[in-house]
Amino acid sequence: MARGKLITIEGLDGAGKSTLAAGLVRELTARGQRVELLREPGGVDVSERIRALVKDPALAVAPRTETLLYAAARAQLVQQLLAPLLEQGAFVLLDRFVDSSLAYQGAGRELGVEAVRAINRFATGGLTPERTLLLRIDPAVGRARQHERASAPDRLERESERFFAAIAAAYDDLAREEPERIRALDAAQAPEDVLADALAAIEDLLPPPERINMDA
């Protein structure tokens, strides 16, 4: 059995990651592709408990503590669920992965991208996505979209404009460093246009349609 593919979706809060993920699941499933959708932090019980902790607006979490908590949640997800799914040949869509920590904690929290990268390399065993879809959006637009949500902002969503500007810049730097893996998409477009661009960006990773139909 061929090893599966890991596709991650990255971007600022409010960029439309959840909308894109749902669209990709719908389109790929319609093509006969087995798709598993996961989120970070979360996906398994231990990681979901960490998610509740790091997002709690009532808590004051130190930057290094925050970084290690995200890495711990990621390590559990990889070991318990993500790695086995890939071994089973699944096409895994993951809402956030290591790049989020590089941008949010490495740049936003000013802990240093390389320091955070080293922690996460250990946490994931060096697992790297085959493709990363980066939803690029102006931080102010992302914030405006957040305010339109019915839910109250979590601990990170309450951070300053400067914090999110640093994250956006870090994401752009990462995309420039790894253009083959990270494909930047204009998230200001209509959702259907973002989905079309995303499908084009991962087309080379998909089996030919006729083969999918034969195996279905």
Side-chain angles (χ1 to χ4, degrees):
M1 178 184 296
R3 180 177 170 80
K5 305 291 185 183
L6 174 59
I7 308 300
T8 58
I9 304 174
E10 293 284 355
L12 292 168
D13 293 302
K17 295 184 304 301
S18 297
T19 299
L20 175 59
L24 286 171
V25 169
R26 182 181 67 251
E27 292 295 324
L28 295 176
T29 300
R31 297 186 185 192
Q33 179 69 52
R34 177 193 173 189
V35 184
E36 299 286 345
L37 175 60
L38 303 174
R39 70 173 183 178
E40 275 211 333
V44 293
D45 288 344
V46 170
S47 304
E48 289 290 341
R49 293 192 185 190
I50 294 174
R51 180 186 182 90
L53 183 67
V54 296
K55 288 184 170 289
D56 189 342
L59 297 177
V61 182
R64 282 183 171 79
T65 305
E66 180 181 275
T67 302
L68 293 169
L69 285 169
Y70 277 114
R74 188 165 290 133
Q76 185 70 23
L77 176 65
V78 168
Q79 189 276 329
Q80 185 177 338
L81 186 57
L82 182 51
L85 283 173
L86 293 173
E87 288 299 321
Q88 294 164 19
F91 196 95
V92 181
L93 293 174
L94 181 53
D95 185 342
R96 295 199 181 283
F97 196 49
V98 173
D99 293 307
S100 280
S101 285
L102 301 182
Y104 276 74
Q105 283 75 51
R109 298 299 190 203
E110 301 181 350
L111 295 178
V113 168
E114 291 309 313
V116 175
R117 195 193 303 273
I119 291 168
N120 281 275
R121 187 178 296 115
F122 172 78
T124 65
L127 179 62
T128 303
E130 275 73 26
R131 191 67 37 83
T132 296
L133 303 174
L134 171 60
L135 296 180
R136 297 186 71 253
I137 195 168
D138 183 276
V141 176
R143 300 276 273 186
R145 289 182 178 179
Q146 289 176 47
H147 293 322
E148 294 172 359
R149 297 174 181 171
S151 58
D154 64 31
R155 190 177 61 83
L156 269 74
E157 290 172 346
R158 295 184 176 189
E159 289 291 343
S160 67
E161 298 293 339
R162 179 176 176 272
F163 178 75
F164 290 105
I167 293 166
Y171 271 133
D172 287 344
D173 288 343
L174 292 170
R176 281 190 292 270
E177 291 168 6
E178 297 186 67
E180 287 303 311
R181 176 176 70 86
I182 303 177
R183 305 295 173 85
L185 310 177
D186 181 4
Q189 301 179 95
E192 59 269 23
D193 294 326
V194 177
L195 176 59
D197 286 351
L199 288 167
I202 63 172
E203 189 67 39
D204 61 310
L205 301 176
L206 299 172
E210 60 271 18
R211 180 176 177 182
I212 292 175
N213 292 333
M214 290 173 60
D215 294 343

